[in-house]
Amino acid sequence: MTEARQAVGAARRIVVKVGSSSLTTAAGGLDADRVDALVDVLAKVRSGGEREVVLVSSGAIAAGLAPLGLRRRPRDLARQQAAASVGQGLLVARYTASFARYGVRVGQVLLTIDDMSRRVHHRNASRTLDKLLAMGALPVVNENDTVATDEIRFGDNDRLAALVAHLVHADLLVLLSDVDGVYDGDPSRPGTSRIAEVRGPGDLAGVEIGSAGKAGSAPAAWSPRSRPPGSPRPRASRWCSPVPSTPRRR
């Protein structure tokens, strides 16, 4: 574990992913205090210019619910996309205002599966992110939910974050979660156990595949099929760090 922690401490380019439940209120809107608390930490990490940070942030759909008068996340795709359209602007505006307290510029980057699987799109996305970092900006990445469909979406932002880590040649990928680690099943069910350390796919053999907050999100970080053409895998370990959250909407 000491070796892994040393690798984390030595990371210079870091991708951080945060989920919507850690950014929003139970009523379905952005929680400014939680956004500011996250920004406080990220600004401190990159202070001094020795580290670069790319933020992969969920929350667009959740942020758009209350402004559109929606009491819960809609099931139909059209209303989800409408909520994402409204919420993405609010999300980036909140990040922009919060990072401005530290003099940090924010750049919005919305990606689709095509941007990862098509060589020209992949090259353009990589070049844009590299230039943003070189110019001192902090990229805020999300899936372009307004055009994504069930058939052509990433599935969850854990997978998107893993792909972005490959895209920018990151040293470290950090998945912030309201779950205190990686589990061998749904952590809400009795009998599941936390896996103390994951060094590769073999440590997840026989693990139940799930969604964000479960071990099912982890294979994207190592699967060769998920890597964009010519991109190396991040050198440091995958970590889940607990952050406060609101109850997930059903």
Side-chain angles (χ1 to χ4, degrees), residues 19-32 34-35 58-64 91 244-247 249:
S20 58
S21 64
S22 300
L23 299 172
T24 56
T25 66
L30 286 175
D31 188 321
R34 290 183 176 181
V35 174
S58 303
I61 294 178
L91 182 65
S245 104
T246 55
R249 294 181 171 271

Side-chain angles (χ1 to χ4, degrees), residues 36-182:
D36 286 347
L38 172 65
V39 168
D40 290 343
V41 174
L42 297 182
K44 182 177 180 179
V45 167
R46 72 188 299 278
S47 64
E50 294 183 359
R51 293 186 177 91
E52 298 172 321
V53 175
V54 177
L55 176 61
V56 177
S57 176
S58 303
I61 294 178
L65 297 182
L68 291 177
L70 298 172
R71 303 181 65 178
R72 61 180 60 86
R73 182 187 177 100
R75 295 185 178 181
D76 62 288
L77 180 61
R79 286 195 298 171
Q80 288 179 13
Q81 292 176 324
S85 178
V86 172
Q88 185 63 37
L90 296 173
L91 182 65
V92 172
R94 181 62 251 172
Y95 278 129
T96 299
S98 190
F99 275 110
R101 296 177 297 141
Y102 297 93
V104 177
R105 295 176 299 278
V106 166
Q108 174 180 256
V109 180
L110 299 178
L111 298 174
T112 66
I113 285 289
D114 278 350
D115 297 319
M116 295 297 186
S117 59
R118 296 190 179 186
R119 186 170 298 276
V120 173
H121 291 205
H122 172 269
R123 188 183 304 117
N124 288 338
S126 177
R127 185 164 52 230
T128 298
L129 288 165
D130 281 342
K131 185 57 67 175
L132 282 169
L133 292 169
M135 298 179 73
L138 190 148
V140 176
V141 182
N142 197 3
E143 181 169 10
N144 193 348
D145 289 312
T146 60
V147 298
T149 66
D150 290 339
E151 292 78 16
I152 58 169
R153 61 188 307 121
F154 290 103
D156 61 54
N157 271 6
D158 285 8
R159 182 176 179 225
L160 173 59
L163 293 171
V164 169
H166 295 305
L167 186 66
V168 300
H169 310 313
D171 302 307
L172 176 68
L173 168 61
V174 179
L175 304 180
L176 300 178
S177 173
D178 54 358
V179 180
D180 63 345
V182 179

